[in-house]
Amino acid sequence: MPDILLSARNLVKSYSLRSHNDTPVLRGVSLEVARGEFLALMGPSGAGKSTLLHLLGLLDAPNSGYTEFDIDKQIYDSRSLTSKSADFVRNKHIGFIFQFHHLLPEFTVLENVMTPALIAGLPVSEAKSRAKELLESTGLSHRAEHKPAEISGGEQQRAAIARALINEPALIIADEPTGNLDSANAAAILGIIAQLRDRRDLTFIVATHSTEVAALANRVVMMRDGMI
Ligand SMILES: Nc1ncnc2c1ncn2[C@@H]1O[C@H](COP(=O)(O)OP(=O)(O)OP(=O)(O)O)[C@@H](O)[C@H]1O
Ligand SMILES: [Mg+2]
């Protein structure tokens, strides 16, 4: 039996638009992700990949269906999570990497990377030393005191990866992490992702159009028209 970290059952999601009938975006998606697995989600634009990642990451709620996490000997079921415990699961156990980095512009790179650790209640000194280590391992030590606007797109994305890792999450959810980068920067991010893949304690779900990213995966799931 594989050790399942995350199961999604019959996820249905539609968006209501005033001018249209409800358009179904996910039409009953079920998925199991094993601990330590590197899963790539592929499929045409509009297939529902980002929508699915949002539901898996508890960033949005389905119309029906549910997700269940088995983390740290605890079961978290999306149907019975309070918004406070969903916040806890997201902050402590899930790291997010998006196509656009969403770094906070007023803060330095170091402060951005530290922020999730401070939210989790880590002492400042410990958050800082972890953040410095992560900046070292993503090759960004020399940019620690810069603001996001003062570094390149590839560096911004590396900072976002460092930030996603600081609370030592069980799961990384990445949505087109190389989608906004030129090929040299995309290759650098790919190298970092390849290292993360080899960490058995980390589960990785990535939506991507990149065959290079998908080539790193243990399993590729194809989505089309809101189905797998
Ligand atoms: N907030 C929203 N309101 C209404 N419709 C939405 C919303 N978000 C997504 N959609 C629709 O849901 C469908 C799936 O979108 P989604 O972003 O999940 O696709 P995707 O597979 O990630 O595509 P891409 O590869 O372009 O990122 C699309 O038809 C999109 O227009
Ligand atoms: Mg998308």
Side-chain angles (χ1 to χ4, degrees):
M1 276 287 283
D3 180 12
I4 301 299
L5 173 88
L6 167 60
S7 348
R9 286 278 168 264
N10 275 316
L11 293 174
V12 172
K13 179 75 181 173
S14 54
Y15 294 103
S16 302
L17 299 176
R18 239 176 312 158
S19 51
H20 298 82
N21 291 328
D22 281 9
T23 12
V25 174
L26 296 181
R27 300 190 290 154
V29 170
S30 296
L31 182 68
E32 288 192 332
V33 185
R35 215 176 300 281
E37 186 173 18
F38 188 121
L39 180 78
L41 273 182
M42 298 191 82
S45 184
K49 303 181 296 295
S50 296
T51 304
L52 177 59
L53 291 184
H54 280 88
L55 299 186
L56 297 180
L58 303 173
L59 293 167
D60 197 2
N63 298 94
S64 62
Y66 65 97
T67 53
E68 197 178 80
F69 293 86
D70 180 344
I71 300 180
D72 257 2
K73 304 187 170 65
Q74 283 250 57
I75 304 283
Y76 300 95
D77 183 322
S78 66
R79 292 168 296 187
S80 55
L81 278 182
T82 61
S83 72
K84 211 174 161 190
S85 43
D87 287 347
F88 169 78
V89 173
R90 274 197 307 271
N91 174 250
K92 179 70 193 84
H93 294 306
I94 308 178
F96 294 95
I97 305 168
F98 297 105
Q99 181 173 5
F100 302 98
H101 55 79
H102 299 302
L103 296 168
L104 301 169
E106 303 298 318
F107 291 104
T108 66
V109 166
L110 181 67
E111 289 163 346
N112 266 284
V113 175
M114 287 170 66
T115 297
L118 297 176
I119 291 172
L122 225 67
V124 176
S125 58
E126 167 114 32
K128 194 176 237 171
S129 73
R130 272 199 208 179
K132 283 184 168 169
E133 256 172 57
L134 285 163
L135 289 177
E136 177 90 15
S137 68
T138 47
L140 275 184
S141 296
H142 60 307
R143 296 286 183 258
E145 300 304 329
H146 288 236
K147 299 275 175 69
E150 299 162 352
I151 60 177
S152 75
E155 290 170 337
Q156 289 167 348
Q157 194 60 314
R158 280 186 269 157
I161 292 174
R163 180 184 56 182
L165 291 168
I166 192 152
N167 284 339
E168 300 174 335
L171 174 66
I172 296 273
I173 290 182
D175 196 354
E176 303 197 28
T178 59
N180 194 33
L181 300 175
D182 62 48
S183 57
N185 278 309
I189 297 298
L190 198 70
I192 293 173
I193 292 175
Q195 286 172 11
L196 296 178
R197 177 193 62 166
D198 295 334
R199 280 179 43 184
R200 306 217 30 215
D201 58 336
L202 201 62
T203 305
F204 210 101
I205 306 176
V206 58
T208 187
H209 291 284
S210 156
T211 48
E212 284 125 320
V213 173
L216 295 172
N218 306 115
R219 181 159 62 115
V220 177
V221 165
M222 293 296 296
M223 285 195 77
R224 191 189 188 113
D225 295 336
M227 297 201 289
I228 285 179

